[in-house]
Amino acid sequence: MDKRLRRKGSSNDGFSIIELLVVVGVLALLSAISLPYIVNYKTRYKSEDQALKTVDLLRETGQLALTRRRTFRFEIDLTDNYLKLIDENGSGTDTLIKKIPLELAKDVRLDVIPQTVTKPNPPNFADITFSVDTLGHQDGSTMVIGHSTWVARFRSDGSVVNKNNVLVNANIYFWPPQTPGSLTARSKGEVRAVTLAGGSGAIRYWKHNGTAFFSSQ
C-alpha cells in the first residue's frame, strides 16, 4: 500500500491546537467555579477543625498520664499560638513533647465566649481564662516561661487540676469572629465548644445549632 495513503487514513494524528485550547478553557472555567467553594468550605470549618484537634490532644494527654503514671500537662499558649503537651517528668524538668499550631485569632478565637452565645448547661462549667505561665517547660535547649496560657494538668489517677492543684471544670470555645478582634461570631452555627470535667477527666465536644449547644460526642 502507498505510504501516503496509509498516513492519510491514520487516526493517530493527535489533537489540534484548537481542541487543546478548548480543553484548557473548560478546565480553567471549572477551576474558577469550584475554587470559591473550596476556600469557603475550609474557612467555615476552621473552628471545628481546631476544636477537634484540641479534643484529640486533651485525650492524648490524659492517656499518657494514666499509662505512664505521672502528670502530663495540656496548655493553650496564646503567646506562641500553639496547643502544647508537656511531660512534667515527676521531679525532673517539665519537657515539651508535642505542639500543634493554632489558627490565627482573626480566623478562630478561643480566649472568650462570643457575645449572645449561652454556655453548655448542663454542665454549666466556668469558661477558661488565661494567665501568665509560672510553671515553665523546656523546649529543646530553651526554657519557656511567662507566656499567656491556660493549663490543664492530667494526673495519674484520672483527675485534672490547674497550676495550683485545684480541680478544673472548664469550657473552651472555638469560633470565627465577625471581624478581627470582634466579640461577635460570624455565624453561631460555626461556634464549637469543649468541656472538661476535672474529677473524671471526661471530655465532651459540642456544636452550636444557632440556638443552643448540643453534644455530638
Side-chain angles (χ1 to χ4, degrees):
M1 182 184 291
D2 191 296
K3 291 182 179 180
R4 289 174 297 175
L5 292 175
R6 188 163 63 245
R7 284 199 300 270
K8 185 177 180 180
S10 173
S11 60
N12 298 321
D13 294 336
F15 296 104
S16 70
I17 292 177
I18 293 176
E19 289 171 325
L20 289 173
L21 289 174
V22 169
V23 171
V24 170
V26 170
L27 291 175
L29 179 61
L30 291 175
S31 297
I33 293 172
S34 61
L35 189 59
Y37 288 99
I38 294 172
V39 172
N40 183 61
Y41 179 88
K42 290 184 69 175
T43 301
R44 180 176 177 81
Y45 287 95
K46 278 185 176 182
S47 56
E48 180 162 320
D49 181 59
Q50 187 154 287
L52 291 174
K53 287 179 180 178
T54 300
V55 169
D56 288 344
L57 196 61
L58 282 166
R59 288 176 174 164
E60 182 179 352
T61 308
Q63 189 62 37
L64 284 171
L66 292 173
T67 56
R68 299 194 184 181
R69 309 302 301 168
R70 62 177 182 268
T71 301
F72 282 77
R73 185 162 84 245
F74 170 89
E75 281 188 2
I76 301 175
D77 188 328
L78 295 185
T79 303
D80 278 346
N81 211 41
Y82 276 98
L83 302 174
K84 295 181 176 182
L85 197 169
I86 297 164
D87 185 352
E88 295 198 354
N89 286 313
S91 59
T93 302
D94 296 359
T95 306
L96 177 72
I97 60 175
K98 179 183 280 190
K99 61 181 181 180
I100 298 173
L102 293 166
E103 298 288 348
L104 296 176
K106 69 181 182 64
D107 295 319
V108 179
R109 292 191 67 168
L110 49 67
D111 53 336
V112 293
I113 185 172
Q115 289 179 342
T116 74
V117 170
T118 304
K119 68 175 66 179
N121 186 13
N124 197 29
F125 290 157
D127 300 338
I128 64 170
T129 58
F130 290 82
S131 61
V132 175
D133 173 30
T134 57
L135 297 174
H137 64 271
Q138 199 75 24
D139 182 358
S141 59
T142 304
M143 185 63 181
V144 179
I145 197 167
H147 287 191
S148 177
T149 63
W150 177 78
V151 171
R153 301 172 65 234
F154 287 76
R155 300 191 293 194
S156 59
D157 62 0
S159 63
V160 188
V161 297
N162 62 16
K163 62 184 178 182
N164 298 315
N165 289 316
V166 177
L167 284 176
V168 171
N169 294 302
N171 304 316
I172 312 170
Y173 303 99
F174 308 83
W175 52 281
Q178 200 168 63
T179 56
S182 171
L183 291 174
T184 303
R186 181 176 61 215
S187 166
K188 288 185 180 180
E190 295 178 64
V191 180
R192 302 292 183 262
V194 174
T195 55
L196 171 64
S200 63
I203 299 159
R204 293 180 69 182
Y205 173 61
W206 304 76
K207 293 183 177 183
H208 204 284
N209 61 12
T211 304
F213 281 107
F214 65 95
S215 178
S216 61
Q217 286 186 8

